[in-house]
Amino acid sequence: MTTRKLEILVGAFVALSIAALMLLALKVANAGVAGSDQSYQLLATFDNIGGLKVRSPVKVGGVVVGRVANIHLDPEQFQPVVTLEINSSYNNFPETSSLAILTSGLLGEQYIGLQPGFVDESVEILGNGDHIEDTKSAIVLEELIGQFLFNRGNQ
Amino acid sequence: MDNTVAKPLVDIQNLTFSRGDRVIYDDMSMQFARGKVTAIMGPSGIGKTTLLRLIGGQLKPDSGHIWFENQNIPLLGRRDLYQARKKMSMLFQSGALFSDMTVFDNVAFPIREHTKLPEEIIRMMVLMKLEAVGLRGARDLMPAELSGGMARRAALARAIALDPQLVMYDEPFAGQDPISMGVIVRLIRSLNDALGLTSIVVSHDVNEVMSIADYVYVVAERRVIGHGTPEQLRQHESPLVQQFLQGLADGPVPFHFKAADYAQELMELKV
Amino acid sequence: MILDKLQQVGAATLETIQGFGRATLMLAGALWGRPRFVKAWPLYIKQFYVVGVLSLLIIVVSGLFIGMVLALQGYTVLSKFGAEQMLGPLVALSLLRELGPVVTALLFAGRAGSALTAEIGLMKATEQLSGMEMMAVDPLRRIIAPRLWAGVICMPLLALIFTAVGILGGHLVGVDWLGVDAGGYWSAMQANVDFEQDVLNGIIKSTVFAFLVTVIALHKGFDAVPTSEGISRATTQTVVTASLAVLGFDFVLTAVMFGG
């Protein structure tokens, strides 16, 4: 076989593999938040993060606005501190916003739900490095069962 | 004919080579004169092919010198060794043609690799070399389509493609029918004279070798046991040389493989 | 008796280590110096064709069938939990992270790897490699290097094609046959598959495997005993050793990448 014919076939092969890569990158993986590289960081402290993991999504009303960048334990207060990386196009959350650790579906993964708070003249907008005060920890099943039994016992 | 008048092209001095525990050569010395056909003969299995590989630098001796032109082959670095190898070529027993190229491309291979000559010149050179071995019409065949003798001739054309100074032949007559044998014999001699080559022929085909060699070394028992022109050798007094040259079944190289006493072994079966 | 066994184990270990040494030397010799891509271009193209293009058929067919089987099996289990909409992520993640790189590597070892070993072993047996050396042409640069690059570059590309075809095959079975919602298939996938974590890691894995399989195949061929029995043994060893190496490294890489 001539070199020219081989070159054409090899070129087609490489083109096919690039097409496969495009398919995987665009249609299969989420090109969403990974695409835009502008983001800012917010911090929040919880009592219990439950099953929250790094890279878990941050959602407002079900829409992904960012990801969990880091989880570490405050060495003095012994409380978990979560670093959120929020997409820069969502940059006007008021400081009265609250965070809760929710579960998607019954057996699904855990994510952070952000509920924007009320806005008036005295309320500031959250910027890079700010701390969100109002946080609700994850629901721990044992505590829930304990509460339920306690309530039953009281009746 | 004095073999040492002009400086020999290849000069082996005090060569010792062993493979594992077996000593193949023990303090051996040989000279190969320029422009002459020198033969190396001996019983099979004593390592004649190994000697060619030592000259070509594929193997390193335990001690001794192998002088090629002004260079000591075992001491050469990689690049110098490759430069030296461009002046020598080897014809392998099986021909060793590249199975995925035509005869033409095989002969053109060394030219294309080592020179930047344009294709028209290369074509002329290849056709000339093929004409010299009588295969110009077969240049578009693949090696698988050639007979053994033709493959060997094509390999010979490839070996002389770059007009080397030294050509080494590894058992060129082995397993050939009389016609192919005659062709190869004629080619070795005529090419040597026409191109001013120095040829080293390793073989144990006594008659063929004696008919074209200018000088012969007989190697056995790890060293040279006899050397000289073919006439000198025929009168050599060593019984081992004579047994070899005349093809006697029994002599210093015994007919019987080492075994216990014959009568005793027969008697044992009866018990 | 025990001493004999110990001695055998010791000898086998030394033999293996020597093999590693020879393989490394071969690799170093093949990669040393500038690769003369321009002059040797036809050689490289030919190898890319033999190693890559000729493997396409088996890769595409296998990818398609494995994707389809994944969707079939996955649907059966997921529907018990009412979680059919997770079929997309199931197929995609299985292929991207594991099956794509590993199965492609195993198929590659069997098809292209054994072919490489046999070819080089045969060249060694017919003294073509020796002849090349005597003609002052380095067989490592001329024969080994193009095949090395072809293997290392083509196999990850084949893995990408395998994965993509598998996901499409999963779509074929899941959406067109079993009735999973088409939009749900792709959107659940997009929500759960991350480019860096899954796609890139998969590519890294298949590159590592490509390197392993190609080097093992070339080394076994280069080192083969130049008889017909030796070549057949070398070819078998390539497939076995390469497959085991791929599976072993897969475990290590998975633990590092996804272990958490």
Side-chain angles (χ1 to χ4, degrees), chain A residues 7 9 27-28 30 55, chain C residues 41 49 157 189-190 193-194:
Chain A
E7 282 178 342
L9 287 171
K27 275 212 91 181
V28 172
N30 52 4
R55 305 201 59 80
Chain C
W41 181 250
Y49 173 77
L157 299 181
M189 207 189 287
Q190 282 174 9
V193 173
D194 178 65

Side-chain angles (χ1 to χ4, degrees), chain A residues 1 3 6-7 9-10 13-14 16-17 20-21 23-30 34 55 67 107 109, chain C residues 41 45-46 48-49 52-53 56 92 96 154 157-158 160-161 163-164 167 186 189-190 193-195 203:
Chain A
M1 233 190 257
T3 305
L6 288 181
E7 282 178 342
L9 287 171
V10 171
F13 167 67
V14 175
L16 186 65
S17 58
L21 182 62
L23 174 79
L24 292 178
L26 298 176
K27 275 212 91 181
V28 172
N30 52 4
R55 305 201 59 80
R67 300 238 159 229
L107 305 167
E109 51 172 5
Chain C
W41 181 250
I45 287 288
K46 171 119 193 273
F48 272 70
Y49 173 77
V53 177
L56 258 184
L96 278 169
C154 283
L157 299 181
L158 288 169
L160 284 174
I161 296 176
T163 307
I167 291 176
W186 294 109
M189 207 189 287
Q190 282 174 9
V193 173
D194 178 65
F195 185 77
I203 295 179

Side-chain angles (χ1 to χ4, degrees), chain B residues 246-268:
Chain B
Q246 295 169 32
L248 301 172
D250 209 359
V253 176
F255 175 70
H256 287 288
F257 194 77
K258 244 193 157 112
D261 184 66
Y262 189 32
Q264 216 176 12
E265 274 203 334
L266 278 182
M267 292 303 131
E268 280 168 17

Side-chain angles (χ1 to χ4, degrees), chain B residues 11-22:
Chain B
D11 192 355
I12 299 180
Q13 294 170 353
N14 308 108
L15 175 72
T16 303
F17 179 74
S18 45
R19 196 171 262 147
D21 301 328
R22 242 184 72 192

Side-chain angles (χ1 to χ4, degrees), chain B residues 107-119:
Chain B
V107 179
F109 179 77
I111 312 178
R112 287 184 182 138
E113 283 294 314
H114 295 307
T115 69
K116 293 186 175 52
L117 294 172
E119 274 303 305

Side-chain angles (χ1 to χ4, degrees), chain A residues 5 12 24 36-37 51 58 63-64 85 88 92 102 105-106 108 119 154:
Chain A
K5 201 164 163 196
L24 292 178
S36 63
D37 37 11
V58 178
V63 176
V64 177
E85 207 158 284
S88 296
N92 47 6
L102 307 167
L106 213 51
V119 186
N154 271 352

Side-chain angles (χ1 to χ4, degrees), chain A residues 5-152:
Chain A
K5 201 164 163 196
L6 288 181
E7 282 178 342
I8 294 176
L9 287 171
V10 171
F13 167 67
V14 175
L16 186 65
S17 58
I18 294 182
L21 182 62
M22 288 288 107
L23 174 79
L24 292 178
L26 298 176
K27 275 212 91 181
V28 172
N30 52 4
V33 182
S36 63
D37 37 11
Q38 301 281 55
S39 61
Y40 66 99
Q41 291 194 337
L42 296 173
L43 298 160
T45 313
F46 294 84
D47 288 328
N48 194 320
I49 56 160
L52 194 70
K53 291 189 274 291
V54 176
R55 305 201 59 80
S56 296
V58 178
K59 301 187 191 179
V60 176
V63 176
V64 177
V65 303
R67 300 238 159 229
V68 174
N70 189 1
I71 303 175
H72 73 277
L73 197 64
D74 184 305
E76 285 154 36
Q77 308 275 13
F78 298 114
Q79 279 187 320
V81 177
V82 177
T83 310
L84 310 168
E85 207 158 284
I86 308 289
N87 194 325
S88 296
S89 37
Y90 309 104
N91 57 358
N92 47 6
F93 295 118
E95 59 177 359
T96 47
S97 308
S98 65
L99 295 174
I101 298 184
L102 307 167
T103 311
S104 52
L106 213 51
L107 305 167
E109 51 172 5
Q110 297 202 306
Y111 65 96
I112 292 187
L114 194 155
Q115 180 82 328
F118 67 89
V119 186
D120 66 25
E121 303 86 44
S122 64
V123 171
E124 301 213 341
I125 298 293
L126 292 170
N128 190 21
D130 280 346
H131 208 268
I132 299 182
E133 306 295 338
D134 191 356
T135 62
K136 289 190 205 36
S137 293
I139 298 177
V140 180
L141 204 56
E142 290 83 358
E143 290 178 7
L144 198 63
I145 294 178
Q147 268 187 6
F148 179 65
L149 292 174
F150 183 68
N151 284 342
R152 283 295 304 270

